[in-house]
Amino acid sequence: MLSLCFSFWLQNRAIGLIQTMALSGAHKNRGELRIHESLDELRTDLADYVAELSEASVKERGVFAIALSGGSLIGLMGKLCEAPYNKTVDWAKWYIFWADERVVAKSHADSNYKLAKDGLLSKVPIVPSHVHSINDSVSAEEAADDYEFAIRQLVKTRVVSVSEISDCPKFDLILLGLGPDGHVASLFPNHPALNEREEWITFITDSPKPPPERITFTLPVINSASNVAVVVTGESKAESVHLAIDDIGADCPLIPARMVQPAMGKLVWFLDKLAASKLEDSNLNK
Ligand code: 6PG
């Protein structure tokens, strides 16, 4: 399965690097692009990727601190509930967080916690006390403060590691989706939350994507992770993928996804062909 994906990655990486170098300074390392022929291929590659990072993190730190997003991501992670992963992954060492959450009851259909629990966490032997969701009985602002406080306690005990270059938490893996407008987590285009540099968790009450009240990791936290993966499928996302990855001019909108730039960590894009269809290298579409 990886032969197609890997040879493409190698080819693209080589091209990308040359482009990057040729246009050096135009944009920095936009990470590894993994473009898949089919959703099934993407789902398998994503499960392999997460399982490998889990194994490496447990070996190194004894735990695996992973942050999830909402939307189609959870469905695309579905193979982790199947063989061999459901047996081979060391689920008891997982600590689960949310890169963003809607401020609704955990039982509400809009809850990212509920989405993940129903679609993944209830199907694998996760330790319930290792699941760190938001306090759903308080306001968005209080939920953000409360969640940051909870994460700070877990940084003290090194369940969540700490960045070498800031006091930010260093999650082992942050999984993000991408909106058609270029938003990641609940960081929307031109929103003041994008400028937050002190708080680890912030809140918004005017999300353009319903529901309006949300909490979200801030950019410093996202960019302090050891690994960040952006998982994107479908043609509706092709323009935001182009704006997030390609060498775009200064007059192009700076979308939130473009601000995902891990300082020391690794960035990987899991794309299907439709989502990748507007990437510069037009030969990708052939
Ligand atoms: C949320 C998500 C959000 C999501 C994108 C992509 O809570 O709404 O975390 O950031 O990842 O909107 O969603 P889709 O993959 O479903 O298009």
mmCIF file of all heavy atoms in Angstrom, residues 68-73 76 99-102 110 112 175-181 183-188 207 209-211 214 231-233 236-237, ligand 1:
data_model
loop_
_atom_site.group_PDB
_atom_site.id
_atom_site.type_symbol
_atom_site.label_atom_id
_atom_site.label_comp_id
_atom_site.label_asym_id
_atom_site.label_seq_id
_atom_site.Cartn_x
_atom_site.Cartn_y
_atom_site.Cartn_z
ATOM 1 N N LEU A 68 -7.467 15.198 19.853
ATOM 2 C CA LEU A 68 -8.340 14.959 18.712
ATOM 3 C C LEU A 68 -9.090 16.225 18.326
ATOM 4 O O LEU A 68 -9.220 17.153 19.131
ATOM 5 C CB LEU A 68 -9.367 13.870 19.067
ATOM 6 C CG LEU A 68 -8.836 12.557 19.619
ATOM 7 C CD1 LEU A 68 -9.995 11.677 20.090
ATOM 8 C CD2 LEU A 68 -7.979 11.845 18.577
ATOM 9 N N SER A 69 -9.607 16.222 17.096
ATOM 10 C CA SER A 69 -10.523 17.279 16.654
ATOM 11 C C SER A 69 -11.872 16.632 16.391
ATOM 12 O O SER A 69 -12.067 15.443 16.608
ATOM 13 C CB SER A 69 -9.989 17.939 15.373
ATOM 14 O OG SER A 69 -8.816 18.672 15.640
ATOM 15 N N GLY A 70 -12.785 17.418 15.880
ATOM 16 C CA GLY A 70 -14.114 16.882 15.563
ATOM 17 C C GLY A 70 -14.217 16.606 14.071
ATOM 18 O O GLY A 70 -13.211 16.394 13.394
ATOM 19 N N GLY A 71 -15.480 16.567 13.584
ATOM 20 C CA GLY A 71 -15.703 16.413 12.150
ATOM 21 C C GLY A 71 -15.370 15.030 11.628
ATOM 22 O O GLY A 71 -15.374 14.043 12.365
ATOM 23 N N SER A 72 -15.004 14.971 10.362
ATOM 24 C CA SER A 72 -14.811 13.673 9.677
ATOM 25 C C SER A 72 -13.585 12.918 10.169
ATOM 26 O O SER A 72 -13.430 11.730 9.890
ATOM 27 C CB SER A 72 -14.657 13.939 8.170
ATOM 28 O OG SER A 72 -13.512 14.749 7.933
ATOM 29 N N LEU A 73 -12.716 13.588 10.913
ATOM 30 C CA LEU A 73 -11.475 12.958 11.393
ATOM 31 C C LEU A 73 -11.746 11.641 12.116
ATOM 32 O O LEU A 73 -11.086 10.639 11.865
ATOM 33 C CB LEU A 73 -10.733 13.903 12.344
ATOM 34 C CG LEU A 73 -9.568 13.293 13.117
ATOM 35 C CD1 LEU A 73 -8.374 13.039 12.205
ATOM 36 C CD2 LEU A 73 -9.180 14.161 14.297
ATOM 37 N N LEU A 76 -12.373 8.815 9.953
ATOM 38 C CA LEU A 76 -11.172 8.437 9.200
ATOM 39 C C LEU A 76 -10.161 7.697 10.075
ATOM 40 O O LEU A 76 -9.239 7.068 9.564
ATOM 41 C CB LEU A 76 -10.546 9.685 8.569
ATOM 42 C CG LEU A 76 -11.383 10.355 7.472
ATOM 43 C CD1 LEU A 76 -10.867 11.745 7.151
ATOM 44 C CD2 LEU A 76 -11.430 9.486 6.216
ATOM 45 N N ALA A 99 -8.318 19.078 20.763
ATOM 46 C CA ALA A 99 -7.717 20.317 20.252
ATOM 47 C C ALA A 99 -8.775 21.420 20.182
ATOM 48 O O ALA A 99 -8.461 22.604 20.238
ATOM 49 C CB ALA A 99 -7.119 20.084 18.871
ATOM 50 N N ASP A 100 -10.025 20.999 20.049
ATOM 51 C CA ASP A 100 -11.131 21.945 20.173
ATOM 52 C C ASP A 100 -12.383 21.182 20.550
ATOM 53 O O ASP A 100 -12.494 19.981 20.313
ATOM 54 C CB ASP A 100 -11.337 22.776 18.908
ATOM 55 C CG ASP A 100 -11.975 21.998 17.763
ATOM 56 O OD1 ASP A 100 -11.657 20.802 17.600
ATOM 57 O OD2 ASP A 100 -12.795 22.599 17.049
ATOM 58 N N GLU A 101 -13.287 21.887 21.184
ATOM 59 C CA GLU A 101 -14.532 21.270 21.621
ATOM 60 C C GLU A 101 -15.649 22.299 21.571
ATOM 61 O O GLU A 101 -15.424 23.492 21.796
ATOM 62 C CB GLU A 101 -14.376 20.679 23.022
ATOM 63 C CG GLU A 101 -15.624 20.064 23.643
ATOM 64 C CD GLU A 101 -16.200 18.889 22.851
ATOM 65 O OE1 GLU A 101 -16.767 19.156 21.761
ATOM 66 O OE2 GLU A 101 -16.078 17.739 23.302
ATOM 67 N N ARG A 102 -16.789 21.816 21.258
ATOM 68 C CA ARG A 102 -17.972 22.691 21.291
ATOM 69 C C ARG A 102 -18.478 22.733 22.713
ATOM 70 O O ARG A 102 -18.526 21.695 23.380
ATOM 71 C CB ARG A 102 -19.054 22.151 20.360
ATOM 72 C CG ARG A 102 -18.646 22.150 18.880
ATOM 73 C CD ARG A 102 -18.003 20.829 18.457
ATOM 74 N NE ARG A 102 -17.748 20.817 17.029
ATOM 75 C CZ ARG A 102 -18.580 20.399 16.094
ATOM 76 N NH1 ARG A 102 -19.774 19.972 16.460
ATOM 77 N NH2 ARG A 102 -18.289 20.424 14.827
ATOM 78 N N ASP A 110 -23.672 17.617 19.018
ATOM 79 C CA ASP A 110 -22.585 18.483 18.539
ATOM 80 C C ASP A 110 -21.294 18.306 19.327
ATOM 81 O O ASP A 110 -20.300 18.965 19.038
ATOM 82 C CB ASP A 110 -23.013 19.957 18.644
ATOM 83 C CG ASP A 110 -24.005 20.352 17.554
ATOM 84 O OD1 ASP A 110 -24.124 19.589 16.573
ATOM 85 O OD2 ASP A 110 -24.663 21.397 17.717
ATOM 86 N N ASN A 112 -17.824 17.035 20.441
ATOM 87 C CA ASN A 112 -16.697 16.287 19.862
ATOM 88 C C ASN A 112 -16.329 15.108 20.757
ATOM 89 O O ASN A 112 -15.873 14.068 20.277
ATOM 90 C CB ASN A 112 -15.486 17.204 19.677
ATOM 91 C CG ASN A 112 -15.636 18.107 18.479
ATOM 92 O OD1 ASN A 112 -16.515 17.894 17.633
ATOM 93 N ND2 ASN A 112 -14.802 19.130 18.393
ATOM 94 N N LEU A 175 -4.162 15.868 16.192
ATOM 95 C CA LEU A 175 -4.830 15.565 14.925
ATOM 96 C C LEU A 175 -5.831 16.662 14.608
ATOM 97 O O LEU A 175 -6.693 16.991 15.436
ATOM 98 C CB LEU A 175 -5.538 14.212 15.019
ATOM 99 C CG LEU A 175 -4.618 12.995 15.081
ATOM 100 C CD1 LEU A 175 -5.419 11.745 15.478
ATOM 101 C CD2 LEU A 175 -3.929 12.774 13.745
ATOM 102 N N LEU A 176 -5.686 17.237 13.432
ATOM 103 C CA LEU A 176 -6.546 18.342 13.020
ATOM 104 C C LEU A 176 -7.296 17.991 11.743
ATOM 105 O O LEU A 176 -6.781 17.248 10.897
ATOM 106 C CB LEU A 176 -5.703 19.602 12.761
ATOM 107 C CG LEU A 176 -4.878 20.144 13.925
ATOM 108 C CD1 LEU A 176 -3.952 21.264 13.433
ATOM 109 C CD2 LEU A 176 -5.789 20.671 15.032
ATOM 110 N N GLY A 177 -8.486 18.568 11.611
ATOM 111 C CA GLY A 177 -9.170 18.577 10.329
ATOM 112 C C GLY A 177 -8.927 19.946 9.715
ATOM 113 O O GLY A 177 -8.173 20.757 10.258
ATOM 114 N N LEU A 178 -9.551 20.188 8.574
ATOM 115 C CA LEU A 178 -9.395 21.478 7.896
ATOM 116 C C LEU A 178 -10.742 21.865 7.320
ATOM 117 O O LEU A 178 -11.378 21.069 6.619
ATOM 118 C CB LEU A 178 -8.363 21.354 6.771
ATOM 119 C CG LEU A 178 -8.140 22.581 5.880
ATOM 120 C CD1 LEU A 178 -7.520 23.721 6.670
ATOM 121 C CD2 LEU A 178 -7.267 22.222 4.688
ATOM 122 N N GLY A 179 -11.159 23.109 7.602
ATOM 123 C CA GLY A 179 -12.435 23.585 7.075
ATOM 124 C C GLY A 179 -12.262 24.155 5.677
ATOM 125 O O GLY A 179 -11.139 24.518 5.290
ATOM 126 N N PRO A 180 -13.340 24.279 4.898
ATOM 127 C CA PRO A 180 -13.251 24.867 3.556
ATOM 128 C C PRO A 180 -12.727 26.318 3.590
ATOM 129 O O PRO A 180 -12.129 26.785 2.631
ATOM 130 C CB PRO A 180 -14.694 24.833 3.053
ATOM 131 C CG PRO A 180 -15.393 23.854 3.922
ATOM 132 C CD PRO A 180 -14.687 23.866 5.249
ATOM 133 N N ASP A 181 -12.897 26.965 4.754
ATOM 134 C CA ASP A 181 -12.406 28.345 4.910
ATOM 135 C C ASP A 181 -10.976 28.382 5.437
ATOM 136 O O ASP A 181 -10.423 29.467 5.675
ATOM 137 C CB ASP A 181 -13.319 29.116 5.876
ATOM 138 C CG ASP A 181 -13.345 28.463 7.253
ATOM 139 O OD1 ASP A 181 -12.728 27.385 7.423
ATOM 140 O OD2 ASP A 181 -13.993 29.025 8.173
ATOM 141 N N HIS A 183 -10.007 26.946 8.359
ATOM 142 C CA HIS A 183 -9.882 26.859 9.820
ATOM 143 C C HIS A 183 -9.360 25.490 10.247
ATOM 144 O O HIS A 183 -9.598 24.480 9.567
ATOM 145 C CB HIS A 183 -11.200 27.177 10.514
ATOM 146 C CG HIS A 183 -12.207 26.075 10.523
ATOM 147 N ND1 HIS A 183 -13.244 26.000 9.622
ATOM 148 C CD2 HIS A 183 -12.338 24.972 11.324
ATOM 149 C CE1 HIS A 183 -13.968 24.931 9.858
ATOM 150 N NE2 HIS A 183 -13.446 24.285 10.888
ATOM 151 N N VAL A 184 -8.624 25.474 11.357
ATOM 152 C CA VAL A 184 -8.219 24.246 12.019
ATOM 153 C C VAL A 184 -8.640 24.360 13.483
ATOM 154 O O VAL A 184 -8.727 25.482 14.011
ATOM 155 C CB VAL A 184 -6.696 24.023 11.929
ATOM 156 C CG1 VAL A 184 -6.270 23.678 10.514
ATOM 157 C CG2 VAL A 184 -5.908 25.207 12.465
ATOM 158 N N ALA A 185 -8.894 23.229 14.152
ATOM 159 C CA ALA A 185 -9.455 23.258 15.499
ATOM 160 C C ALA A 185 -10.611 24.262 15.473
ATOM 161 O O ALA A 185 -11.423 24.182 14.537
ATOM 162 C CB ALA A 185 -8.371 23.599 16.520
ATOM 163 N N SER A 186 -10.698 25.205 16.413
ATOM 164 C CA SER A 186 -11.701 26.254 16.294
ATOM 165 C C SER A 186 -11.028 27.599 16.145
ATOM 166 O O SER A 186 -11.416 28.604 16.776
ATOM 167 C CB SER A 186 -12.673 26.213 17.482
ATOM 168 O OG SER A 186 -13.564 25.111 17.343
ATOM 169 N N LEU A 187 -10.003 27.602 15.302
ATOM 170 C CA LEU A 187 -9.271 28.829 14.950
ATOM 171 C C LEU A 187 -9.700 29.210 13.542
ATOM 172 O O LEU A 187 -9.317 28.548 12.579
ATOM 173 C CB LEU A 187 -7.760 28.587 15.033
ATOM 174 C CG LEU A 187 -7.218 28.242 16.413
ATOM 175 C CD1 LEU A 187 -5.770 27.769 16.330
ATOM 176 C CD2 LEU A 187 -7.324 29.442 17.356
ATOM 177 N N PHE A 188 -10.551 30.237 13.453
ATOM 178 C CA PHE A 188 -11.172 30.620 12.185
ATOM 179 C C PHE A 188 -10.458 31.824 11.565
ATOM 180 O O PHE A 188 -9.815 32.614 12.283
ATOM 181 C CB PHE A 188 -12.654 30.900 12.411
ATOM 182 C CG PHE A 188 -13.426 29.647 12.736
ATOM 183 C CD1 PHE A 188 -13.567 29.218 14.048
ATOM 184 C CD2 PHE A 188 -13.970 28.876 11.722
ATOM 185 C CE1 PHE A 188 -14.250 28.046 14.356
ATOM 186 C CE2 PHE A 188 -14.650 27.696 12.005
ATOM 187 C CZ PHE A 188 -14.793 27.280 13.328
ATOM 188 N N SER A 207 -18.391 31.349 16.624
ATOM 189 C CA SER A 207 -17.852 30.482 15.575
ATOM 190 C C SER A 207 -18.697 30.559 14.303
ATOM 191 O O SER A 207 -19.927 30.423 14.379
ATOM 192 C CB SER A 207 -17.831 29.022 16.044
ATOM 193 O OG SER A 207 -17.637 28.157 14.941
ATOM 194 N N LYS A 209 -18.831 28.383 12.123
ATOM 195 C CA LYS A 209 -19.346 27.008 11.971
ATOM 196 C C LYS A 209 -20.101 26.663 13.253
ATOM 197 O O LYS A 209 -19.524 26.718 14.343
ATOM 198 C CB LYS A 209 -18.184 26.018 11.767
ATOM 199 C CG LYS A 209 -18.630 24.571 11.631
ATOM 200 C CD LYS A 209 -17.449 23.612 11.515
ATOM 201 C CE LYS A 209 -17.923 22.160 11.460
ATOM 202 N NZ LYS A 209 -16.797 21.176 11.405
ATOM 203 N N PRO A 210 -21.385 26.357 13.171
ATOM 204 C CA PRO A 210 -22.158 26.050 14.401
ATOM 205 C C PRO A 210 -21.614 24.800 15.105
ATOM 206 O O PRO A 210 -21.002 23.952 14.441
ATOM 207 C CB PRO A 210 -23.578 25.790 13.880
ATOM 208 C CG PRO A 210 -23.588 26.135 12.439
ATOM 209 C CD PRO A 210 -22.175 26.216 11.943
ATOM 210 N N PRO A 211 -21.754 24.751 16.411
ATOM 211 C CA PRO A 211 -22.339 25.736 17.301
ATOM 212 C C PRO A 211 -21.357 26.871 17.601
ATOM 213 O O PRO A 211 -20.139 26.680 17.482
ATOM 214 C CB PRO A 211 -22.658 24.933 18.562
ATOM 215 C CG PRO A 211 -21.630 23.857 18.596
ATOM 216 C CD PRO A 211 -21.383 23.497 17.150
ATOM 217 N N ARG A 214 -17.202 27.649 21.614
ATOM 218 C CA ARG A 214 -16.198 26.591 21.519
ATOM 219 C C ARG A 214 -14.985 26.937 22.355
ATOM 220 O O ARG A 214 -14.749 28.113 22.658
ATOM 221 C CB ARG A 214 -15.736 26.422 20.062
ATOM 222 C CG ARG A 214 -16.809 25.903 19.104
ATOM 223 C CD ARG A 214 -16.544 26.316 17.673
ATOM 224 N NE ARG A 214 -17.471 25.664 16.762
ATOM 225 C CZ ARG A 214 -17.146 24.617 16.010
ATOM 226 N NH1 ARG A 214 -15.937 24.095 16.073
ATOM 227 N NH2 ARG A 214 -18.030 24.055 15.191
ATOM 228 N N VAL A 231 -5.711 16.096 8.523
ATOM 229 C CA VAL A 231 -6.353 15.042 7.748
ATOM 230 C C VAL A 231 -7.505 15.662 6.960
ATOM 231 O O VAL A 231 -8.447 16.185 7.555
ATOM 232 C CB VAL A 231 -6.873 13.927 8.675
ATOM 233 C CG1 VAL A 231 -7.462 12.787 7.875
ATOM 234 C CG2 VAL A 231 -5.747 13.437 9.587
ATOM 235 N N VAL A 232 -7.399 15.615 5.638
ATOM 236 C CA VAL A 232 -8.328 16.371 4.807
ATOM 237 C C VAL A 232 -8.775 15.556 3.607
ATOM 238 O O VAL A 232 -7.948 15.010 2.878
ATOM 239 C CB VAL A 232 -7.660 17.663 4.261
ATOM 240 C CG1 VAL A 232 -8.702 18.635 3.739
ATOM 241 C CG2 VAL A 232 -6.759 18.315 5.280
ATOM 242 N N THR A 233 -10.079 15.491 3.396
ATOM 243 C CA THR A 233 -10.601 14.788 2.228
ATOM 244 C C THR A 233 -11.669 15.633 1.558
ATOM 245 O O THR A 233 -12.326 16.450 2.193
ATOM 246 C CB THR A 233 -11.234 13.439 2.626
ATOM 247 O OG1 THR A 233 -12.352 13.696 3.475
ATOM 248 C CG2 THR A 233 -10.241 12.539 3.339
ATOM 249 N N SER A 236 -14.137 20.024 -1.666
ATOM 250 C CA SER A 236 -14.486 21.309 -1.030
ATOM 251 C C SER A 236 -13.316 21.890 -0.240
ATOM 252 O O SER A 236 -13.318 23.058 0.126
ATOM 253 C CB SER A 236 -15.670 21.094 -0.076
ATOM 254 O OG SER A 236 -15.252 20.298 1.027
ATOM 255 N N LYS A 237 -12.334 21.043 0.015
ATOM 256 C CA LYS A 237 -11.177 21.510 0.800
ATOM 257 C C LYS A 237 -9.974 21.836 -0.084
ATOM 258 O O LYS A 237 -8.944 22.296 0.423
ATOM 259 C CB LYS A 237 -10.779 20.418 1.798
ATOM 260 C CG LYS A 237 -11.904 19.842 2.657
ATOM 261 C CD LYS A 237 -12.417 20.841 3.646
ATOM 262 C CE LYS A 237 -13.552 20.303 4.474
ATOM 263 N NZ LYS A 237 -13.158 19.206 5.390
HETATM 264 C C1 6PG B 1 -14.933 21.084 14.886
HETATM 265 C C2 6PG B 1 -13.650 20.621 14.321
HETATM 266 C C3 6PG B 1 -13.210 21.386 13.094
HETATM 267 C C4 6PG B 1 -13.121 20.350 11.997
HETATM 268 C C5 6PG B 1 -13.142 21.005 10.623
HETATM 269 C C6 6PG B 1 -13.191 19.974 9.514
HETATM 270 O O1 6PG B 1 -15.131 20.870 16.056
HETATM 271 O O2 6PG B 1 -15.760 21.589 14.145
HETATM 272 O O3 6PG B 1 -12.684 20.312 15.176
HETATM 273 O O4 6PG B 1 -12.017 22.061 13.196
HETATM 274 O O5 6PG B 1 -11.952 19.593 12.142
HETATM 275 O O6 6PG B 1 -14.271 21.806 10.573
HETATM 276 O O7 6PG B 1 -14.348 19.229 9.663
HETATM 277 P P1 6PG B 1 -14.733 18.124 8.571
HETATM 278 O O8 6PG B 1 -13.532 17.240 8.438
HETATM 279 O O9 6PG B 1 -15.909 17.408 9.098
HETATM 280 O O10 6PG B 1 -15.003 18.855 7.282
#
